[in-house]
Structure formats: structure tokens, C-alpha cells
Amino acid sequence: MSVAQYAADNAKRGPETAPISPYLRWLTNWGPALPLIIIGIVMLVVPCALMIRQSFALPDGSGFTLANWVSLFESRSARTTILNSLLLSFSVATIALLVGGPLTWIISRMTRNWQALNLGLLTVANNFSGIGLAFGYVAALGSYGMITLALKMIGIDIIPPASSSFWGLTIAYEYGIVPMFVLLTLPSMALIRNEWWEACQCCGANRWQFWRYVGIPVLGPFLGASWILCFTWSMGLYGLPVALLGSSRPAFNLITLKMSRSMTGLLLGNQQMPVLAVLLMIIAICALTLYKIMLKRAGKWL
């Protein structure tokens, strides 16, 4: 073997490296993410574990008992509170689907400039929450709101729903939930191609048949996944219902309000707060699991 050939073989083999230990390999792969993992454990996992433990603890924090869970579901007011939160979240997410779905389709077919303008407005509206949304509802549909007074000026004497009622809360929630629904589902609208509608027309299909057999089956999982996120988001809202209902003995009670009152000792001691918190965690885990299933089903079109 010549010297030139030996050098070429060495260049192909490259420098010899020592085997890396599994610990060093793990540290190399996960080291950059360690600060985020530690923050996640301290800020999320540890509080959840303590809340689960506290939901089964005696009032003094020791022992193990199921009495906290039993007393919660035996309480008529607690059952009504849970049902109120579920019904409100279901209504809010469903209205967001019915309004936000067509609105998303219209925005997705706009020109780029109009689309950018609408996306900017929706992003601003989506970032309003709590007191801002409550003020928006009162300013638009309150007794002296702009829309209420404008309709009365043209002879339409309407009585908007009270801000502390079920429908008043639902409308106030929609101010932030509908923009969020549009922003979540807008990317999926690009899947519907104009060529599909042209092909359906060539086959003699009308617009309804196109949406029935093509559009809705493709977009359905995405719309369903966004509905689940809106439902979960509505369940956990606190600032907006506090602003509209008040934190002490509201006429329309919700889980988050009851947690606040229980935590401050105003209602049946402080043992209901961890039970309600764990209940919200269970609902959120179930919703996110269903969300992942829906996205996996939707992914077959990507």
C-alpha cells in the first residue's frame, strides 16, 4: 500500500472517537432543556401533586379521607355550580363554532391585505380578558351601552340580557372566545383547495353537497379540536365572571368563583377548593386527550 492510499483510507475513516457514556449522552441531549424542565416541575407538577394530596386530606392536612369528595357531590349547590360551568362552557364553545367557523372561512378567502388587517384586529380582541371583556360588554350591551342606545334611537326597544345572567355571561365570553376560535382554525382552511370545488362542479355537485361530502369531513376534526380548546378555556376563566358577577354570593355560581370563596373560607371551610381544583384538572386532562385524538385524526389530510 502506498503512502497516498493509506492517507486516503484514514481520511475516509475519520478521527477515532471514544464511546460516550449514557449519562453524558443524556446530559447532552436534555441539558439545554433542564431549566425549562425544572421550572415546569416546580410551577406545575408539584402544585398539582400537592392539590391532589390536599383533596384527600383531613381539615388539618393530615391523614387520608374521601369525605371531601363525598361532601362535594352531596352538596346541591356544588352540583349546581359544576353543571353551570359545564353548560356555560358548552354554550360558549358551540356559539364560537357556529359563528367562528363561517367567519374563518370568509377571512381565509380574503386578499392578503384584508386578511392581515382582520388578523390584527382578532389578535387584539383575543388578548383582552377579565375586566376588559366585562367593560366591553357593559359598554356595548349594558342598559346605556352603545348598541342598546343605537337600537332604541331607531325604534327598537330591546332589553339586553343582564350581565349576571347565563346569556349575559355567554355573550361576554364570546368577545374573546370567537377571535381565539378563528385564530386556531384559520391555518386549517388552507387545506380546502379551489380545485376540489371545481372537480365537484364537473361532477354535477352543488355547494351543499361539496360541504357535506368534502369540506366538513376534512375540516371537521380541526373544528372539533378548536371547540374542545374553547370549552376548556371557558371552564377556567376567572377574571371575567368576577368582574360581572362579583366574588361574594353571585346569583350564577361557577367553579372558579366557588374555588375562590372556598379558599378564603367563606363557604364550607377550605377543603372544597382542592377538590374543585382536582376536578378541573380531570376535565382539562380529558379534554386535552380528546384534543390530541382529534388532531391525530385530522393529520391524515396533511
Side-chain angles (χ1 to χ4, degrees):
M1 179 185 293
S2 64
V3 175
Q5 186 176 1
Y6 179 77
D9 291 342
N10 278 342
K12 290 180 180 178
R13 287 197 297 269
E16 294 184 358
T17 57
I20 302 175
S21 67
Y23 299 105
L24 184 59
R25 188 188 302 277
W26 183 90
L27 188 63
T28 304
N29 293 334
W30 289 94
L34 275 180
L36 183 61
I37 293 173
I38 294 173
I39 292 174
I41 291 174
V42 173
M43 302 295 289
L44 186 63
V45 178
V46 173
C48 290
L50 292 176
M51 202 64 71
I52 294 173
R53 171 67 184 91
Q54 192 65 26
S55 68
F56 294 101
L58 296 170
D60 60 357
S62 63
F64 179 87
T65 180
L66 294 175
N68 301 327
W69 287 84
V70 174
S71 65
L72 177 74
F73 287 103
E74 284 183 346
S75 170
R76 184 177 178 181
S77 65
R79 292 199 303 271
T80 303
T81 299
I82 296 170
L83 184 62
N84 286 344
S85 292
L86 291 174
L87 283 177
L88 181 65
S89 302
F90 179 84
S91 301
V92 170
T94 302
I95 293 175
L97 170 66
L98 297 177
V99 176
L103 181 61
T104 310
W105 173 255
I106 293 171
I107 293 176
S108 69
R109 263 47 191 173
M110 288 181 174
T111 61
R112 181 171 299 181
N113 290 336
W114 280 108
Q115 198 174 97
L117 175 63
N118 284 281
L119 286 178
L121 294 174
L122 291 170
T123 304
V124 172
N126 185 41
N127 283 286
F128 274 108
S129 62
I131 303 295
L133 290 180
F135 176 76
Y137 176 80
V138 174
L141 289 173
S143 300
Y144 296 97
M146 292 184 295
I147 296 177
T148 306
L149 295 179
L151 292 176
K152 286 183 178 179
M153 287 178 63
I154 60 175
I156 302 176
D157 190 13
I158 68 163
I159 301 176
S163 60
S164 58
S165 65
F166 175 84
W167 289 112
L169 278 175
T170 301
I171 295 173
Y173 273 44
E174 298 298 345
Y175 288 0
I177 296 297
V178 169
M180 185 175 74
F181 187 91
V182 174
L183 293 176
L184 286 173
T185 54
L186 188 59
S188 65
M189 294 296 171
L191 292 175
I192 302 296
R193 301 174 184 171
N194 295 328
E195 291 82 359
W196 294 357
W197 167 233
E198 294 170 1
C200 290
Q201 285 180 305
C202 292
C203 296
N206 55 31
R207 183 72 72 173
W208 161 249
Q209 290 171 324
F210 168 75
W211 283 107
R212 169 68 178 83
Y213 297 105
V214 179
I216 294 178
V218 172
L219 296 178
F222 293 101
L223 297 175
S226 299
W227 183 93
I228 292 171
L229 282 186
C230 291
F231 175 85
T232 311
W233 186 267
S234 303
M235 286 286 294
L237 277 181
Y238 175 70
L240 176 58
V242 166
L244 291 178
L245 299 175
S247 58
S248 60
R249 298 185 182 282
F252 189 81
N253 214 345
L254 297 172
I255 290 179
T256 50
L257 298 180
K258 194 160 189 170
M259 287 172 59
S260 173
R261 295 171 60 201
S262 178
M263 187 169 60
T264 54
L266 296 178
L267 183 66
L268 301 177
N270 58 2
Q271 287 305 103
Q272 282 201 349
M273 196 280 287
V275 179
L276 290 170
V278 174
L279 187 63
L280 276 183
M281 287 166 52
I282 293 172
I283 294 173
I285 291 172
C286 293
L288 291 178
T289 303
L290 191 57
Y291 173 76
K292 290 194 68 175
I293 294 173
M294 297 288 285
L295 280 189
K296 186 176 181 182
R297 184 177 177 184
K300 68 180 181 181
W301 298 105
L302 298 176

